[in-house]
Amino acid sequence: MEVARTIKSVREFVKAARSKGKKIGLAPTMGALHIGHISLIEAAVKECDFVVVSIFVNPAQFGPGEDFQEYPRPFEADLEICRKAGVDVVFAPGPEQMYRTENLTWVSVEKLTEGLCGRSRPTHFRGVTTVCTKLFNIVAPDTAFFGQKDAQQAIVIKRMAADLNMPLEIVICPTVREPGGLAVSSRNQYLNEKEKKDATFIYKSLQQCQQLIRDGVTQSDAIISEMRKILRQASSIEEIEYISVVDAETLQDVEKVEGAVLVAVAVKIGPSRLIDNILLDTSKE
Ligand code: PAF
C-alpha cells in the first residue's frame, strides 16, 4: 500500500493503474476509521480494481465552535486498517494541498442542504460538496463510496454529481450498527458508557417509527410524537435537534408517509451530536 501526501503523487499512482485498464474506486473519509468505513472500503475493493482511501479532516465542513480541533486523528491505526482491507493508496494530504490559497470557489447544492442538518450547520454541506469535488477532480475515480448513515450528505453528493455531469458513479452503502443498534460513528468515541447506552434510543425510536408505519400510521406528526417519547426516556439526550419525515428525494417535510421517505433524527448527547436515519419505501412494504 502506498501513502500519497501530495496531489501530484496520488495522480501518478492513479494514472499508472488506469493505464493498465483498472477500475478506480474512492472512499473519501476524515480518518478515525471504524467498521462503517471498513464496509465502504470492502465495497470498493469488491467493485473496483484499484482503491484509494482519502483521509482528510476537512476544515471547511466544520462550523465555528464545532469539533475540528478535537476530531480524532489516529493516523497510524488508520493506515493499518487500510492495509488489512486491501487498499492500494491512502491519500492523506495536508491542508496546504487541498486549500492552497484563500478558497474563493465553492460548490453548493441548493434546497437539499437547507433542512435537516443544514438548519443548524449552514456552511457544512458547502464544505462537503467542495472537498468532494476537489477529491473527485484529484483522484478521478470511476466510483465513489459513501455511507447511508449520513443520508443527507449522500443525497446531496448524488445530486451534485448528477447536476454537474461528473463522470463517476456514487454508491451508497448501508449503515453499520453496533449490537445495540447505535449507528457506528467516529463521534461515538466522545461518549461515556451511560451516554452510549442512551444513544441506542435513537435507533429504538427509528424502529418504533418503522413499526408504526407497518401498523398503518401515516401521519408524520403522530409518528414524530411517538419517536420523541422514546428519545425522552434517555436522560443523557440533552436536546432533540430534529426528528423529520421527509421525501427521500427532495428532502421536503411530508405530512403523510407515502412512497419513499427518509426518517431522520439528530440529537445532542453528552459532548456529541449524533444523527441516524432509516429509508422506507411504503410502496414496497
Ligand atoms: O463523511 C465524511 O466523512 C466527510 O463528510 C467526507 C465525505 C469525507 C468529506 O470530508
Side-chain angles (χ1 to χ4, degrees):
M1 186 181 80
E2 305 286 352
V3 178
R5 290 287 195 175
T6 63
I7 293 172
K8 189 167 176 278
S9 64
V10 73
R11 279 192 171 140
E12 276 162 13
F13 289 128
V14 171
K15 195 173 164 196
R18 195 176 292 289
S19 73
K20 293 183 191 137
K22 292 191 173 177
K23 179 176 174 185
I24 315 294
L26 170 68
T29 82
M30 299 205 299
L33 302 180
H34 50 59
I35 49 174
H37 296 113
I38 295 172
S39 78
L40 303 184
I41 298 172
E42 282 173 353
V45 168
K46 199 163 163 207
E47 272 197 39
C48 303
D49 313 305
F50 189 86
V51 173
V52 180
V53 169
S54 62
I55 297 183
F56 178 63
V57 185
N58 172 33
Q61 68 188 77
F62 290 79
E66 290 186 359
D67 56 346
F68 174 67
Q69 297 299 344
E70 300 79 40
Y71 201 83
R73 292 163 170 85
F75 189 58
E76 289 307 319
D78 286 348
L79 290 185
E80 199 43 42
I81 288 173
C82 290
R83 211 169 273 127
K84 281 201 184 124
V87 170
D88 295 284
V89 177
V90 169
F91 174 47
E96 76 298 338
Q97 286 285 309
M98 297 301 282
Y99 297 100
R100 258 162 223 270
T101 56
E102 184 193 1
N103 206 65
L104 298 180
T105 308
W106 298 93
V107 180
S108 298
V109 174
E110 295 174 1
K111 292 186 181 169
L112 300 179
T113 56
E114 284 164 12
L116 305 173
C117 293
R119 219 164 275 140
S120 66
R121 307 184 77 192
T123 57
H124 170 70
F125 288 108
R126 176 184 97 144
V128 170
T129 42
T130 300
V131 84
C132 286
T133 302
K134 285 170 178 275
L135 290 167
F136 296 166
N137 284 337
I138 294 163
V139 177
D142 296 291
T143 312
F145 297 80
F146 295 86
Q148 173 62 28
K149 212 265 306 170
D150 298 311
Q152 190 175 14
Q153 168 173 285
I155 290 165
V156 165
I157 288 170
K158 271 197 147 183
R159 185 59 188 247
M160 170 186 82
D163 283 355
L164 297 181
N165 310 96
M166 292 179 167
L168 82 167
E169 187 196 354
I170 305 291
V171 170
I172 310 303
C173 301
T175 303
V176 178
R177 300 184 181 280
E178 292 186 5
L182 174 61
V184 172
S185 159
S186 306
R187 291 182 169 106
N188 291 351
Q189 52 181 284
Y190 301 149
L191 304 176
N192 64 29
E193 278 313 304
K194 159 85 172 129
E195 288 160 351
K196 225 170 170 193
K197 206 161 159 225
D198 278 359
T200 62
F201 281 80
I202 303 170
Y203 188 52
K204 286 195 183 105
S205 75
L206 289 166
Q207 283 177 308
Q208 169 72 354
C209 158
Q210 201 157 14
Q211 190 54 49
L212 287 168
I213 292 170
R214 283 204 186 114
D215 293 345
V217 180
T218 55
Q219 288 302 319
S220 300
D221 284 353
I223 293 168
I224 291 170
S225 124
E226 289 306 311
M227 289 175 69
R228 198 174 286 279
K229 279 187 204 157
I230 292 191
L231 291 174
R232 287 219 182 100
Q233 291 172 33
S235 60
S236 336
I237 296 184
E238 285 153 32
E239 186 193 332
I240 301 171
E241 192 183 293
Y242 65 74
I243 304 172
S244 295
V245 182
V246 297
D247 179 282
E249 208 174 304
T250 64
L251 299 184
Q252 295 297 308
D253 286 323
V254 292
E255 274 178 32
K256 220 172 155 214
V257 173
E258 258 166 351
V261 293
L262 175 76
V263 184
V265 177
V267 301
K268 293 225 174 82
I269 177 159
S272 295
R273 176 181 177 279
L274 299 182
I275 57 172
D276 199 355
N277 67 86
I278 48 170
L279 258 181
L280 297 168
D281 193 344
T282 51
S283 61
K284 292 188 188 152
E285 291 266 317

